[in-house]
Amino acid sequence: MANLKELTHREDRLAGGHRLCAGCGASIAVRQVLLGAGEDPVVVGCATGCLEVSTTIYPYTSWRTPFIHNAFENSSATISGVEAAFNGLKRAGKIDPDKKVRFVAFGGDGGTYDIGLQALSGAMERGHDMVYVCYDNGAYMNTGIQRSSATPKGAWATTAEVGVAQAGKKQRRKDLTAIIAAHNVPYVAQASVSHWKDLTSKAEKAFNTPGAAFINVFAPCPRGWRTPSSATIEIAKLAVQTGYWPLYEVEDGVWRQTVKVMNRKPIEEFLKPQGRFKHLFAPGNEALLAEIQGDVDRAWDSLMARCVTE
């Protein structure tokens, strides 16, 4: 893994001046992931979402790479097709067989957990030599903060309102990282923008792994989470420290925790700074808070049982 000094000399493949919100976790995730691609050319695909609409406003682009915008549901299908075409041209003798190009697809949780899941599953199962990166901000932020299957239990969203009938989203979030790990692809990881070295190391490993790789990146959204723009990294750290978003990788079927959390903080420390959870701290919601803590504890214990001891 390149050290910090080396990383600072690598080309920034996402230029500044884009229209993403101040404090947006998606742009942080993209920059850290692309640092892991090294010096090789990179082809980027991006599903419709905040990242795409804010970085490619015609006639401008923030991308210093070949960039393909595709529909909400098919970022992984598009990039897997480009990778297959590239290899076909090599076999036909039209491209130097030693030429190396990296292929990466980006999508938000709406375009990954939900709308794009079948295309992602197909690309992973076929084993294309590509990396898929989900920037998980926990809702359909670009279209109005509607809940997705990545939205946490108890969170407010415009389609999971707070009132007499319910206190935010009723269901637990989908564990997409484990779902992709069940595809038995060579490399799967869960990372956070708060831990740059862990994320960049995982990205480098994903790009250098032959075959399909997947990284799920925790990427806070100040607008949708009702948090200050300056709090993005601190809230992402709290997600890791409370065990809500553990950092781990699954390499050739071996599960390994990559950032140890010896004494987990209560989940309230992650929830309380976020306006989307403020109703949970009103009188009468104590049982729901305890339920959320119980969900986190069970998921943590299950993950620790899977991870090897080092």
Side-chain angles (χ1 to χ4, degrees), residues 195-228:
H195 290 66
W196 67 266
K197 187 173 183 180
D198 180 73
L199 172 52
T200 306
S201 297
K202 286 170 176 171
E204 187 171 65
K205 190 176 288 189
F207 281 115
N208 289 323
T209 297
F214 173 84
I215 307 176
N216 202 2
V217 185
F218 193 73
C221 170
R223 177 74 180 90
W225 294 14
R226 302 300 195 252
T227 57

PDB file of all heavy atoms in Angstrom, residues 195-228:
ATOM      1  N   HIS A 195     -12.100   6.669   7.658  1.00  0.00           N
ATOM      2  CA  HIS A 195     -10.857   5.914   7.818  1.00  0.00           C
ATOM      3  C   HIS A 195     -10.196   5.801   6.448  1.00  0.00           C
ATOM      4  O   HIS A 195     -10.311   4.790   5.750  1.00  0.00           O
ATOM      5  CB  HIS A 195     -11.151   4.537   8.406  1.00  0.00           C
ATOM      6  CG  HIS A 195     -11.598   4.571   9.841  1.00  0.00           C
ATOM      7  ND1 HIS A 195     -12.799   5.134  10.236  1.00  0.00           N
ATOM      8  CD2 HIS A 195     -10.993   4.132  10.983  1.00  0.00           C
ATOM      9  CE1 HIS A 195     -12.913   5.032  11.554  1.00  0.00           C
ATOM     10  NE2 HIS A 195     -11.835   4.439  12.023  1.00  0.00           N
ATOM     11  N   TRP A 196      -9.503   6.877   6.057  1.00  0.00           N
ATOM     12  CA  TRP A 196      -8.989   6.987   4.690  1.00  0.00           C
ATOM     13  C   TRP A 196      -7.975   5.898   4.352  1.00  0.00           C
ATOM     14  O   TRP A 196      -7.971   5.361   3.239  1.00  0.00           O
ATOM     15  CB  TRP A 196      -8.375   8.373   4.441  1.00  0.00           C
ATOM     16  CG  TRP A 196      -7.122   8.635   5.230  1.00  0.00           C
ATOM     17  CD1 TRP A 196      -7.032   9.254   6.435  1.00  0.00           C
ATOM     18  CD2 TRP A 196      -5.785   8.263   4.874  1.00  0.00           C
ATOM     19  NE1 TRP A 196      -5.725   9.300   6.862  1.00  0.00           N
ATOM     20  CE2 TRP A 196      -4.941   8.695   5.919  1.00  0.00           C
ATOM     21  CE3 TRP A 196      -5.222   7.613   3.772  1.00  0.00           C
ATOM     22  CZ2 TRP A 196      -3.564   8.492   5.894  1.00  0.00           C
ATOM     23  CZ3 TRP A 196      -3.849   7.401   3.746  1.00  0.00           C
ATOM     24  CH2 TRP A 196      -3.031   7.848   4.799  1.00  0.00           C
ATOM     25  N   LYS A 197      -7.116   5.576   5.306  1.00  0.00           N
ATOM     26  CA  LYS A 197      -6.082   4.574   5.015  1.00  0.00           C
ATOM     27  C   LYS A 197      -6.706   3.202   4.798  1.00  0.00           C
ATOM     28  O   LYS A 197      -6.321   2.465   3.879  1.00  0.00           O
ATOM     29  CB  LYS A 197      -5.061   4.525   6.151  1.00  0.00           C
ATOM     30  CG  LYS A 197      -3.857   3.641   5.844  1.00  0.00           C
ATOM     31  CD  LYS A 197      -2.791   3.745   6.917  1.00  0.00           C
ATOM     32  CE  LYS A 197      -1.563   2.916   6.564  1.00  0.00           C
ATOM     33  NZ  LYS A 197      -0.511   3.020   7.604  1.00  0.00           N
ATOM     34  N   ASP A 198      -7.682   2.867   5.611  1.00  0.00           N
ATOM     35  CA  ASP A 198      -8.387   1.600   5.460  1.00  0.00           C
ATOM     36  C   ASP A 198      -9.098   1.544   4.117  1.00  0.00           C
ATOM     37  O   ASP A 198      -9.011   0.544   3.393  1.00  0.00           O
ATOM     38  CB  ASP A 198      -9.388   1.438   6.613  1.00  0.00           C
ATOM     39  CG  ASP A 198     -10.177   0.139   6.546  1.00  0.00           C
ATOM     40  OD1 ASP A 198      -9.579  -0.920   6.818  1.00  0.00           O
ATOM     41  OD2 ASP A 198     -11.376   0.206   6.227  1.00  0.00           O
ATOM     42  N   LEU A 199      -9.796   2.619   3.755  1.00  0.00           N
ATOM     43  CA  LEU A 199     -10.539   2.646   2.493  1.00  0.00           C
ATOM     44  C   LEU A 199      -9.600   2.598   1.293  1.00  0.00           C
ATOM     45  O   LEU A 199      -9.814   1.821   0.350  1.00  0.00           O
ATOM     46  CB  LEU A 199     -11.427   3.901   2.427  1.00  0.00           C
ATOM     47  CG  LEU A 199     -12.129   4.182   1.100  1.00  0.00           C
ATOM     48  CD1 LEU A 199     -12.896   2.972   0.595  1.00  0.00           C
ATOM     49  CD2 LEU A 199     -13.056   5.383   1.246  1.00  0.00           C
ATOM     50  N   THR A 200      -8.558   3.412   1.295  1.00  0.00           N
ATOM     51  CA  THR A 200      -7.644   3.438   0.150  1.00  0.00           C
ATOM     52  C   THR A 200      -6.912   2.111   0.001  1.00  0.00           C
ATOM     53  O   THR A 200      -6.687   1.636  -1.121  1.00  0.00           O
ATOM     54  CB  THR A 200      -6.644   4.600   0.307  1.00  0.00           C
ATOM     55  OG1 THR A 200      -7.365   5.815   0.506  1.00  0.00           O
ATOM     56  CG2 THR A 200      -5.782   4.745  -0.931  1.00  0.00           C
ATOM     57  N   SER A 201      -6.560   1.487   1.126  1.00  0.00           N
ATOM     58  CA  SER A 201      -5.909   0.165   1.072  1.00  0.00           C
ATOM     59  C   SER A 201      -6.849  -0.877   0.474  1.00  0.00           C
ATOM     60  O   SER A 201      -6.435  -1.714  -0.340  1.00  0.00           O
ATOM     61  CB  SER A 201      -5.477  -0.267   2.473  1.00  0.00           C
ATOM     62  OG  SER A 201      -4.517   0.597   3.015  1.00  0.00           O
ATOM     63  N   LYS A 202      -8.127  -0.818   0.869  1.00  0.00           N
ATOM     64  CA  LYS A 202      -9.113  -1.761   0.329  1.00  0.00           C
ATOM     65  C   LYS A 202      -9.329  -1.525  -1.162  1.00  0.00           C
ATOM     66  O   LYS A 202      -9.492  -2.480  -1.934  1.00  0.00           O
ATOM     67  CB  LYS A 202     -10.419  -1.651   1.104  1.00  0.00           C
ATOM     68  CG  LYS A 202     -10.340  -2.274   2.498  1.00  0.00           C
ATOM     69  CD  LYS A 202     -11.560  -1.953   3.336  1.00  0.00           C
ATOM     70  CE  LYS A 202     -11.472  -2.688   4.687  1.00  0.00           C
ATOM     71  NZ  LYS A 202     -12.509  -2.261   5.638  1.00  0.00           N
ATOM     72  N   ALA A 203      -9.344  -0.253  -1.557  1.00  0.00           N
ATOM     73  CA  ALA A 203      -9.506   0.055  -2.979  1.00  0.00           C
ATOM     74  C   ALA A 203      -8.332  -0.489  -3.785  1.00  0.00           C
ATOM     75  O   ALA A 203      -8.528  -1.093  -4.852  1.00  0.00           O
ATOM     76  CB  ALA A 203      -9.636   1.557  -3.175  1.00  0.00           C
ATOM     77  N   GLU A 204      -7.129  -0.299  -3.283  1.00  0.00           N
ATOM     78  CA  GLU A 204      -5.951  -0.813  -3.980  1.00  0.00           C
ATOM     79  C   GLU A 204      -6.017  -2.327  -4.092  1.00  0.00           C
ATOM     80  O   GLU A 204      -5.728  -2.904  -5.148  1.00  0.00           O
ATOM     81  CB  GLU A 204      -4.683  -0.391  -3.240  1.00  0.00           C
ATOM     82  CG  GLU A 204      -3.412  -0.743  -3.971  1.00  0.00           C
ATOM     83  CD  GLU A 204      -2.190  -0.117  -3.328  1.00  0.00           C
ATOM     84  OE1 GLU A 204      -1.883  -0.482  -2.176  1.00  0.00           O
ATOM     85  OE2 GLU A 204      -1.553   0.729  -3.972  1.00  0.00           O
ATOM     86  N   LYS A 205      -6.446  -2.972  -3.022  1.00  0.00           N
ATOM     87  CA  LYS A 205      -6.553  -4.431  -3.047  1.00  0.00           C
ATOM     88  C   LYS A 205      -7.631  -4.867  -4.041  1.00  0.00           C
ATOM     89  O   LYS A 205      -7.443  -5.834  -4.792  1.00  0.00           O
ATOM     90  CB  LYS A 205      -6.888  -4.947  -1.636  1.00  0.00           C
ATOM     91  CG  LYS A 205      -6.793  -6.456  -1.505  1.00  0.00           C
ATOM     92  CD  LYS A 205      -7.029  -6.903  -0.070  1.00  0.00           C
ATOM     93  CE  LYS A 205      -5.859  -6.563   0.833  1.00  0.00           C
ATOM     94  NZ  LYS A 205      -6.010  -7.184   2.183  1.00  0.00           N
ATOM     95  N   ALA A 206      -8.753  -4.141  -4.060  1.00  0.00           N
ATOM     96  CA  ALA A 206      -9.841  -4.480  -4.983  1.00  0.00           C
ATOM     97  C   ALA A 206      -9.401  -4.338  -6.432  1.00  0.00           C
ATOM     98  O   ALA A 206      -9.666  -5.217  -7.271  1.00  0.00           O
ATOM     99  CB  ALA A 206     -11.050  -3.589  -4.703  1.00  0.00           C
ATOM    100  N   PHE A 207      -8.717  -3.242  -6.758  1.00  0.00           N
ATOM    101  CA  PHE A 207      -8.257  -3.030  -8.134  1.00  0.00           C
ATOM    102  C   PHE A 207      -7.219  -4.061  -8.556  1.00  0.00           C
ATOM    103  O   PHE A 207      -7.125  -4.413  -9.737  1.00  0.00           O
ATOM    104  CB  PHE A 207      -7.684  -1.618  -8.300  1.00  0.00           C
ATOM    105  CG  PHE A 207      -8.725  -0.546  -8.463  1.00  0.00           C
ATOM    106  CD1 PHE A 207      -8.872   0.442  -7.505  1.00  0.00           C
ATOM    107  CD2 PHE A 207      -9.546  -0.523  -9.577  1.00  0.00           C
ATOM    108  CE1 PHE A 207      -9.823   1.443  -7.660  1.00  0.00           C
ATOM    109  CE2 PHE A 207     -10.508   0.467  -9.740  1.00  0.00           C
ATOM    110  CZ  PHE A 207     -10.648   1.458  -8.785  1.00  0.00           C
ATOM    111  N   ASN A 208      -6.429  -4.542  -7.618  1.00  0.00           N
ATOM    112  CA  ASN A 208      -5.368  -5.497  -7.942  1.00  0.00           C
ATOM    113  C   ASN A 208      -5.813  -6.946  -7.837  1.00  0.00           C
ATOM    114  O   ASN A 208      -5.008  -7.858  -8.086  1.00  0.00           O
ATOM    115  CB  ASN A 208      -4.160  -5.260  -7.031  1.00  0.00           C
ATOM    116  CG  ASN A 208      -3.426  -3.977  -7.378  1.00  0.00           C
ATOM    117  OD1 ASN A 208      -3.310  -3.623  -8.549  1.00  0.00           O
ATOM    118  ND2 ASN A 208      -2.953  -3.262  -6.373  1.00  0.00           N
ATOM    119  N   THR A 209      -7.063  -7.180  -7.484  1.00  0.00           N
ATOM    120  CA  THR A 209      -7.590  -8.540  -7.394  1.00  0.00           C
ATOM    121  C   THR A 209      -8.191  -8.945  -8.730  1.00  0.00           C
ATOM    122  O   THR A 209      -9.117  -8.281  -9.214  1.00  0.00           O
ATOM    123  CB  THR A 209      -8.672  -8.638  -6.297  1.00  0.00           C
ATOM    124  OG1 THR A 209      -8.088  -8.357  -5.020  1.00  0.00           O
ATOM    125  CG2 THR A 209      -9.289 -10.024  -6.269  1.00  0.00           C
ATOM    126  N   PRO A 210      -7.704  -9.993  -9.374  1.00  0.00           N
ATOM    127  CA  PRO A 210      -8.324 -10.445 -10.626  1.00  0.00           C
ATOM    128  C   PRO A 210      -9.761 -10.883 -10.365  1.00  0.00           C
ATOM    129  O   PRO A 210     -10.053 -11.579  -9.390  1.00  0.00           O
ATOM    130  CB  PRO A 210      -7.451 -11.629 -11.049  1.00  0.00           C
ATOM    131  CG  PRO A 210      -6.154 -11.448 -10.318  1.00  0.00           C
ATOM    132  CD  PRO A 210      -6.527 -10.801  -9.014  1.00  0.00           C
ATOM    133  N   GLY A 211     -10.668 -10.445 -11.224  1.00  0.00           N
ATOM    134  CA  GLY A 211     -12.073 -10.805 -11.051  1.00  0.00           C
ATOM    135  C   GLY A 211     -12.868  -9.701 -10.389  1.00  0.00           C
ATOM    136  O   GLY A 211     -12.427  -8.554 -10.266  1.00  0.00           O
ATOM    137  N   ALA A 212     -14.062 -10.040  -9.955  1.00  0.00           N
ATOM    138  CA  ALA A 212     -15.008  -9.059  -9.423  1.00  0.00           C
ATOM    139  C   ALA A 212     -14.673  -8.677  -7.989  1.00  0.00           C
ATOM    140  O   ALA A 212     -14.280  -9.524  -7.184  1.00  0.00           O
ATOM    141  CB  ALA A 212     -16.426  -9.615  -9.485  1.00  0.00           C
ATOM    142  N   ALA A 213     -14.839  -7.390  -7.686  1.00  0.00           N
ATOM    143  CA  ALA A 213     -14.620  -6.891  -6.329  1.00  0.00           C
ATOM    144  C   ALA A 213     -15.698  -5.864  -6.008  1.00  0.00           C
ATOM    145  O   ALA A 213     -16.213  -5.178  -6.901  1.00  0.00           O
ATOM    146  CB  ALA A 213     -13.235  -6.274  -6.194  1.00  0.00           C
ATOM    147  N   PHE A 214     -16.023  -5.746  -4.725  1.00  0.00           N
ATOM    148  CA  PHE A 214     -17.107  -4.864  -4.282  1.00  0.00           C
ATOM    149  C   PHE A 214     -16.688  -4.169  -2.993  1.00  0.00           C
ATOM    150  O   PHE A 214     -16.151  -4.805  -2.085  1.00  0.00           O
ATOM    151  CB  PHE A 214     -18.374  -5.683  -4.021  1.00  0.00           C
ATOM    152  CG  PHE A 214     -19.500  -4.901  -3.394  1.00  0.00           C
ATOM    153  CD1 PHE A 214     -20.369  -4.147  -4.175  1.00  0.00           C
ATOM    154  CD2 PHE A 214     -19.704  -4.926  -2.017  1.00  0.00           C
ATOM    155  CE1 PHE A 214     -21.412  -3.426  -3.604  1.00  0.00           C
ATOM    156  CE2 PHE A 214     -20.744  -4.211  -1.433  1.00  0.00           C
ATOM    157  CZ  PHE A 214     -21.597  -3.456  -2.232  1.00  0.00           C
ATOM    158  N   ILE A 215     -16.931  -2.844  -2.923  1.00  0.00           N
ATOM    159  CA  ILE A 215     -16.661  -2.089  -1.699  1.00  0.00           C
ATOM    160  C   ILE A 215     -17.902  -1.267  -1.355  1.00  0.00           C
ATOM    161  O   ILE A 215     -18.414  -0.517  -2.195  1.00  0.00           O
ATOM    162  CB  ILE A 215     -15.453  -1.143  -1.845  1.00  0.00           C
ATOM    163  CG1 ILE A 215     -14.220  -1.892  -2.338  1.00  0.00           C
ATOM    164  CG2 ILE A 215     -15.144  -0.472  -0.507  1.00  0.00           C
ATOM    165  CD1 ILE A 215     -13.015  -0.992  -2.587  1.00  0.00           C
ATOM    166  N   ASN A 216     -18.363  -1.405  -0.142  1.00  0.00           N
ATOM    167  CA  ASN A 216     -19.510  -0.641   0.369  1.00  0.00           C
ATOM    168  C   ASN A 216     -18.956   0.441   1.296  1.00  0.00           C
ATOM    169  O   ASN A 216     -18.368   0.132   2.338  1.00  0.00           O
ATOM    170  CB  ASN A 216     -20.459  -1.568   1.129  1.00  0.00           C
ATOM    171  CG  ASN A 216     -21.858  -1.013   1.211  1.00  0.00           C
ATOM    172  OD1 ASN A 216     -22.159   0.050   0.680  1.00  0.00           O
ATOM    173  ND2 ASN A 216     -22.744  -1.745   1.877  1.00  0.00           N
ATOM    174  N   VAL A 217     -19.118   1.707   0.905  1.00  0.00           N
ATOM    175  CA  VAL A 217     -18.487   2.814   1.626  1.00  0.00           C
ATOM    176  C   VAL A 217     -19.532   3.654   2.345  1.00  0.00           C
ATOM    177  O   VAL A 217     -20.488   4.136   1.723  1.00  0.00           O
ATOM    178  CB  VAL A 217     -17.676   3.713   0.659  1.00  0.00           C
ATOM    179  CG1 VAL A 217     -16.934   4.789   1.452  1.00  0.00           C
ATOM    180  CG2 VAL A 217     -16.694   2.886  -0.164  1.00  0.00           C
ATOM    181  N   PHE A 218     -19.335   3.850   3.622  1.00  0.00           N
ATOM    182  CA  PHE A 218     -20.218   4.680   4.430  1.00  0.00           C
ATOM    183  C   PHE A 218     -19.950   6.137   4.104  1.00  0.00           C
ATOM    184  O   PHE A 218     -18.834   6.635   4.280  1.00  0.00           O
ATOM    185  CB  PHE A 218     -19.958   4.412   5.920  1.00  0.00           C
ATOM    186  CG  PHE A 218     -21.002   4.968   6.838  1.00  0.00           C
ATOM    187  CD1 PHE A 218     -22.250   4.376   6.928  1.00  0.00           C
ATOM    188  CD2 PHE A 218     -20.732   6.073   7.633  1.00  0.00           C
ATOM    189  CE1 PHE A 218     -23.221   4.879   7.789  1.00  0.00           C
ATOM    190  CE2 PHE A 218     -21.684   6.586   8.489  1.00  0.00           C
ATOM    191  CZ  PHE A 218     -22.940   5.988   8.574  1.00  0.00           C
ATOM    192  N   ALA A 219     -20.976   6.845   3.590  1.00  0.00           N
ATOM    193  CA  ALA A 219     -20.784   8.195   3.048  1.00  0.00           C
ATOM    194  C   ALA A 219     -21.904   9.115   3.533  1.00  0.00           C
ATOM    195  O   ALA A 219     -22.939   9.249   2.876  1.00  0.00           O
ATOM    196  CB  ALA A 219     -20.758   8.140   1.530  1.00  0.00           C
ATOM    197  N   PRO A 220     -21.745   9.759   4.685  1.00  0.00           N
ATOM    198  CA  PRO A 220     -22.802  10.606   5.241  1.00  0.00           C
ATOM    199  C   PRO A 220     -23.267  11.703   4.288  1.00  0.00           C
ATOM    200  O   PRO A 220     -22.503  12.205   3.453  1.00  0.00           O
ATOM    201  CB  PRO A 220     -22.151  11.210   6.483  1.00  0.00           C
ATOM    202  CG  PRO A 220     -21.132  10.199   6.900  1.00  0.00           C
ATOM    203  CD  PRO A 220     -20.595   9.655   5.605  1.00  0.00           C
ATOM    204  N   CYS A 221     -24.539  12.063   4.427  1.00  0.00           N
ATOM    205  CA  CYS A 221     -25.166  13.105   3.611  1.00  0.00           C
ATOM    206  C   CYS A 221     -25.694  14.200   4.534  1.00  0.00           C
ATOM    207  O   CYS A 221     -26.723  14.012   5.195  1.00  0.00           O
ATOM    208  CB  CYS A 221     -26.315  12.516   2.792  1.00  0.00           C
ATOM    209  SG  CYS A 221     -27.340  13.747   1.959  1.00  0.00           S
ATOM    210  N   PRO A 222     -25.020  15.336   4.632  1.00  0.00           N
ATOM    211  CA  PRO A 222     -25.484  16.403   5.534  1.00  0.00           C
ATOM    212  C   PRO A 222     -26.925  16.844   5.260  1.00  0.00           C
ATOM    213  O   PRO A 222     -27.691  17.091   6.191  1.00  0.00           O
ATOM    214  CB  PRO A 222     -24.496  17.545   5.266  1.00  0.00           C
ATOM    215  CG  PRO A 222     -23.248  16.864   4.797  1.00  0.00           C
ATOM    216  CD  PRO A 222     -23.728  15.689   3.988  1.00  0.00           C
ATOM    217  N   ARG A 223     -27.300  16.925   3.997  1.00  0.00           N
ATOM    218  CA  ARG A 223     -28.648  17.372   3.647  1.00  0.00           C
ATOM    219  C   ARG A 223     -29.712  16.394   4.136  1.00  0.00           C
ATOM    220  O   ARG A 223     -30.698  16.783   4.750  1.00  0.00           O
ATOM    221  CB  ARG A 223     -28.744  17.541   2.115  1.00  0.00           C
ATOM    222  CG  ARG A 223     -30.124  17.946   1.607  1.00  0.00           C
ATOM    223  CD  ARG A 223     -30.413  19.390   1.919  1.00  0.00           C
ATOM    224  NE  ARG A 223     -31.736  19.770   1.436  1.00  0.00           N
ATOM    225  CZ  ARG A 223     -32.863  19.672   2.143  1.00  0.00           C
ATOM    226  NH1 ARG A 223     -32.825  19.181   3.367  1.00  0.00           N
ATOM    227  NH2 ARG A 223     -34.004  20.052   1.636  1.00  0.00           N
ATOM    228  N   GLY A 224     -29.519  15.122   3.861  1.00  0.00           N
ATOM    229  CA  GLY A 224     -30.529  14.132   4.221  1.00  0.00           C
ATOM    230  C   GLY A 224     -30.491  13.712   5.673  1.00  0.00           C
ATOM    231  O   GLY A 224     -31.509  13.281   6.229  1.00  0.00           O
ATOM    232  N   TRP A 225     -29.315  13.833   6.287  1.00  0.00           N
ATOM    233  CA  TRP A 225     -29.178  13.402   7.677  1.00  0.00           C
ATOM    234  C   TRP A 225     -29.414  14.537   8.662  1.00  0.00           C
ATOM    235  O   TRP A 225     -29.425  14.318   9.858  1.00  0.00           O
ATOM    236  CB  TRP A 225     -27.785  12.810   7.905  1.00  0.00           C
ATOM    237  CG  TRP A 225     -27.545  11.540   7.150  1.00  0.00           C
ATOM    238  CD1 TRP A 225     -28.291  11.030   6.122  1.00  0.00           C
ATOM    239  CD2 TRP A 225     -26.476  10.610   7.361  1.00  0.00           C
ATOM    240  NE1 TRP A 225     -27.756   9.855   5.675  1.00  0.00           N
ATOM    241  CE2 TRP A 225     -26.641   9.571   6.417  1.00  0.00           C
ATOM    242  CE3 TRP A 225     -25.400  10.563   8.238  1.00  0.00           C
ATOM    243  CZ2 TRP A 225     -25.761   8.490   6.337  1.00  0.00           C
ATOM    244  CZ3 TRP A 225     -24.524   9.500   8.158  1.00  0.00           C
ATOM    245  CH2 TRP A 225     -24.706   8.466   7.233  1.00  0.00           C
ATOM    246  N   ARG A 226     -29.560  15.764   8.108  1.00  0.00           N
ATOM    247  CA  ARG A 226     -29.785  16.944   8.947  1.00  0.00           C
ATOM    248  C   ARG A 226     -28.617  17.139   9.917  1.00  0.00           C
ATOM    249  O   ARG A 226     -28.779  17.212  11.141  1.00  0.00           O
ATOM    250  CB  ARG A 226     -31.109  16.830   9.715  1.00  0.00           C
ATOM    251  CG  ARG A 226     -32.350  16.646   8.824  1.00  0.00           C
ATOM    252  CD  ARG A 226     -32.506  17.837   7.886  1.00  0.00           C
ATOM    253  NE  ARG A 226     -33.816  17.913   7.274  1.00  0.00           N
ATOM    254  CZ  ARG A 226     -34.082  17.662   5.991  1.00  0.00           C
ATOM    255  NH1 ARG A 226     -33.103  17.271   5.192  1.00  0.00           N
ATOM    256  NH2 ARG A 226     -35.291  17.792   5.513  1.00  0.00           N
ATOM    257  N   THR A 227     -27.420  17.215   9.319  1.00  0.00           N
ATOM    258  CA  THR A 227     -26.195  17.407  10.102  1.00  0.00           C
ATOM    259  C   THR A 227     -25.393  18.559   9.512  1.00  0.00           C
ATOM    260  O   THR A 227     -25.532  18.880   8.328  1.00  0.00           O
ATOM    261  CB  THR A 227     -25.326  16.136  10.082  1.00  0.00           C
ATOM    262  OG1 THR A 227     -25.029  15.783   8.721  1.00  0.00           O
ATOM    263  CG2 THR A 227     -26.045  14.964  10.759  1.00  0.00           C
ATOM    264  N   PRO A 228     -24.516  19.181  10.306  1.00  0.00           N
ATOM    265  CA  PRO A 228     -23.652  20.240   9.758  1.00  0.00           C
ATOM    266  C   PRO A 228     -22.681  19.667   8.723  1.00  0.00           C
ATOM    267  O   PRO A 228     -22.224  18.526   8.848  1.00  0.00           O
ATOM    268  CB  PRO A 228     -22.893  20.756  10.986  1.00  0.00           C
ATOM    269  CG  PRO A 228     -23.670  20.281  12.168  1.00  0.00           C
ATOM    270  CD  PRO A 228     -24.328  19.008  11.760  1.00  0.00           C
TER     271      PRO A 228
END
